Structure formats: structure tokens, C-alpha cells
Amino acid sequence: MDLDAVTKHSTLHAKPNGLILQYGTAGFRANAEHLDHIMYRMGLLAVLRSKQTKSTIGVMVTASHNPEEDNGVKLIDPLGEMLAPSWEEHATCLANAEEQDLQRVLVGISESEAVDLQQDAFVVIGRDTRPSSEKFSQSVIDGVTVLGSQFHDYGLLTTPQLHYMVYCRNTSGQYGKATTEGYYQKLSKAFVALTKQVSCSGDEYRSLKVDCANGIGALKLKEMQHYFSQGLSVQLYNDGTKGKLNHLCGADFVKSHQKPPEGMEMKPNERCCSFDGDADRIVYYYRNEDGQFHLIDGDKIATLISSFLKELLLEIGENLNIGVVQTAYANGSSTRYLEEVMKVPVYCTKTGVKHLHHKAQEFDIGVYFEANGHGTALFSKAVEMKIKQLAKELEGDKGKAAKMLENVIDLFNQAAGDAISDMLVIEAILALKGLTVQQWDALYMDLPNRQLKVKVADRRVISTTDAERQVVTPPGLQEMISDLVKKYKLSRAFVRPSGTEDVIRVYAEADSQENADSLAHEVSLAVFQLAGGIGERPTPSFCG
Ligand code: 16G
Ligand code: MG
């Protein structure tokens, strides 16, 4: 390691004095003005991780659904997964080291992780469409090359596409070809094969309106659409030619405001969906004849997918274990429906994709979704091989089901939740089952719910257990929440420190919107009082 060169280049990416940032749930995120040094240093760290794992490592420059002025970066581990937790800590240390300590911290990480510095390294880089992203990917490359390592810059990519590339490269191409072309072909081939079997020929399933959040999803869908146009025609809205990234549009906006994005023309009962800014989340929605807006979030997506997979397994007579993984934010009705009607075991993990992903890997088939629309289905290697075998051997209806399952496995991005892949899976399932968007929505009724945030002096005063459903500290807060919950029917509430913003998040659900709103408000007051709230005390209008 040429440490003098590291220091010399570091002066070109100087760290603002005293700035402390943390590698959070989805990497670093902040206003772009503060991030250049982080990019350079993550280039350095990716090289060390690559040497240690003897694999290709990914670096994605994006701040997902955050405003355009922000940016962020995260590292992708060899199998396309999120960075291992011990390396998240190294990332935080390296990011916060003052210039004079940089060499020492870098050597410290190499030693503690027994990195063989003679080992070759390879880093792949992707970026979203933010104005600051191109320059930042150059800073990452500076970090990679100063350590004498090789890289490939994919340029503009969705986050899940970079996860896919990393996975392909580290499995000798067995998962697919590590190019955008390879990605488009793999997914489209599976989608077209699936939808060819659709017996009802209604045009209803042939078109879909997609809000691309003025982000990278628009560019990539435009490139991809002719590959699958036999099965589906997509109309793109908020494609980045006019509006600002994530501004009044995108999956996060639609989910949190429970209303359609700006710019979308919705006719009654038309199926629409929204991606987020880096296309790793998706939610669906429609308006009924009365103009009422209906949101179909990650919970209902998980329900549709797991019921379809369960039916296919029944058809081929295989008793494989399916598990659905959710977080505390999953609507209570979805959990009840999955457990009681579909008889599928449901598990709850902490918020953040890495937690759900790891839990889902414990099953033959693990379906995971956050209510906000991030998710996918994972198939164990043994299951994948078995299904491939059955698709060859079985005949008649069983053979047809096995072939469908084989294509479904190919259609899901096994490395990360992926809006494009999920969209094609959902479209295929709706068409194959002959379900309209209203029929899908009617599987169960969501319980009214409300999410709020409370500003506190230090969000770390709140710690939680039981997958964030119970508060441990400060003392007395859980008792207050439990007493408040008892006042309402079908109610539930929890609070957790955000991993991406300096706030405490509050979630409440109950039998009516009014009750969910009052419960959320009362719980916010308890947080404000016991966890050191700052600024204005939460008022009932807070809920609007
Ligand atoms: C990040 C997470 C997302 C989670 C959200 C919670 C990834 C890729 N993304 O966006 O899964 O739902 O954070 O944010 O892990 P919060 O901690 O601020 O509530
Ligand atoms: Mg995202």
C-alpha cells in the first residue's frame, strides 16, 4: 500500500473539519456538499474488502429517495448483499478519520481483518442520475486506483442492477451475464416465457403506467422495454425529462403521503406503480370509479407473491418451506391474512433490507418485503436445482407449474429488492391468475395507520428489542405506550430511532383513521416527554 500516495490524493478530497457521518442502514447519506471525502475513502475501503474476500466488490453512488441535493454511497458484498456489519464499522471509522490519522486507520483495518495486501482487488462502480453522482464516482475511482487496483465503471445503473452485476461476477457468470444487456435478457426471457402461458387474452394485462421518480429507473426501463414488449407495454411518467428527482413523486412520496405522484394521469381502475429514485422499491395503486385512491404496498405485494408460489408448489406436490419476512411496519391485517388465511409462517426483523434478506435466506423459499416496497423472493440453491430438474421431468399440469416456477426464480433478483424485477413478477402473476388490481387489493383491508416523527436531542436514548416492537430505554416509555394501545381496538404502536434521519419514528394502527391518528399523537407526546423532545411539542394537527 503506497500510503504516501493515499495521503497526497486525500488532500484533493479533504474532509470538512469536525464532520462526523455514520454508515447507516443504507450506507452514507447526506447533503452532497459534505460527501467527496467519503467517496474517495469508500474507494479505498472497497479495495481492502475486495482483497480480503478475494472477490469483486460494488460501490453504488446514490441517495435513493432523498432529495436531489443529497447523495450517498454504499458498498456491495460478494454475493450482491449489503456490506457485513463489522465492515460497516470500519467504514464509519475511515470516514471520520482526520487527515493525519487516515494512514493509521487504513493500516488498522487491514491488520484487524487480516487483509493480504498482495492480493489483487477488483471494484465495480455504479451511480444514479443526481447532478453530483458523476463527479463522486470519479472520487471513488481515485480511491481505488491510488491503491493500485482495477475497476469497472458501469456508469448509470439502478442500485439492484449493480447488486446483480456483483453477484454475477463472483459466481463465474452462473447467475447471469454481468452486463446491462445480460440483465435485460435474463429477466425478459423469464417474463416472456411466463406470460406466454396466459390464457385470457384481455388487453387489461398488457399495459401499465410507471412513475419513475424522475430517476434512473426511467432510463433503464426505456432501454429495457423492447425486450419484454410482447408481454407488457409500459407508459413512463416522471421520466426525468422535466421534473426534479423524487420531488412530489416516486414510491416513497406515494407511500408516505398516500396519494398519487404529480404528473400521473390516472383513469379509474387503471393499474399504476411508482419506483423510488434508485429503483429498488415499488408500490402499486389505482383510483376507483369514485376517484378514491388505493395504495397497494409492500405487504400486499408479498401476499400476492407468496400465495402464487404456494399454489405452484402445491401443484407440483413439493412440500418446501416458505417463510414471509416483514418488519414492525407491516400492516397488522397483512400479518393476520398471511398467518391465518394463507397459513404461511411470518417472521419480523428490524427495519433495513439486510435484516430481512438474512432472515429470508433461512428458508427454502423466503419472501421478504418492507411495507415501503423494498423486497424480493430468495430461493435456496438446492430448491433452484430441484425445480430445474422437475421442470425437465414432470409432464402435464405439474410440468407446467414446475416450468413456471423455474421462470419465476429467474425473474426475481436474488441479490436485492428490485423495482423492475418485482414489477415484472407482479405483472406476470396478475395476468396468469387473471386478477384485476381491485381483486388483488381486496385480498384484505389494511388497518388505518399513521406514521409520525419526533425530534429529540439524541435519538440514541431510545433503544428497542423484539425486532423494534418494544422499547427498552428510556425506562417507563414502553409501559406508557402499552397503556395507550389498550385504549383502542385492533391497535398496535411502536417507536424506533431512525437509521437515516435524526428523529424518532412513531407508528400506530387502530380500527379507524381517527383512532390511529390519536394513538400516534399520544405516543408522540410520550416520546417527547420521556426521550428529550426538542422544538415544538407534538400537537394533534401533527397527524394531518
Ligand atoms: C433505508 C433502508 C430501508 C429502510 C429505511 C428506514 C436499505 C437498502 N434501505 O432506506 O430498508 O426501510 O432505511 O429508514 O436498507 P429509517 O431508519 O429512517 O426509518
Ligand atoms: Mg431506494
Side-chain angles (χ1 to χ4, degrees), residues 23 33 95 287 506:
Y23 195 100
E33 277 177 24
R287 267 191 207 289
V506 173

Coordinates of all heavy atoms in Angstrom, one line a residue, residues 23 33 95 287 506:
Y23 N -22.0 5.2 8.8 CA -22.5 4.2 7.8 C -23.8 3.6 8.3 O -23.8 2.8 9.2 CB -21.5 3.1 7.5 CG -21.7 2.3 6.3 CD1 -21.0 2.6 5.1 CD2 -22.7 1.3 6.2 CE1 -21.2 1.8 3.9 CE2 -22.9 0.5 5.1 CZ -22.2 0.8 3.9 OH -22.4 0.1 2.8
E33 N -22.7 18.3 -0.6 CA -21.6 19.1 -0.3 C -20.6 18.5 0.7 O -19.4 18.8 0.7 CB -22.1 20.4 0.4 CG -22.5 21.5 -0.5 CD -23.1 22.7 0.2 OE1 -22.7 22.9 1.4 OE2 -23.9 23.4 -0.4
A95 N -14.3 6.9 7.5 CA -15.0 8.2 7.0 C -14.7 9.3 8.0 O -14.6 10.5 7.5 CB -16.5 8.0 6.9
R287 N -57.1 4.3 -8.8 CA -58.3 5.0 -8.3 C -59.5 4.3 -8.6 O -59.6 3.7 -9.7 CB -58.4 6.4 -9.0 CG -57.7 7.5 -8.4 CD -58.2 8.8 -9.1 NE -57.2 9.8 -9.1 CZ -56.9 10.5 -7.9 NH1 -57.5 10.2 -6.8 NH2 -56.0 11.4 -8.0
V506 N -42.6 7.1 14.9 CA -43.7 6.6 15.6 C -44.6 5.9 14.7 O -44.9 6.5 13.6 CB -44.4 7.8 16.4 CG1 -45.7 7.3 17.0 CG2 -43.5 8.4 17.4

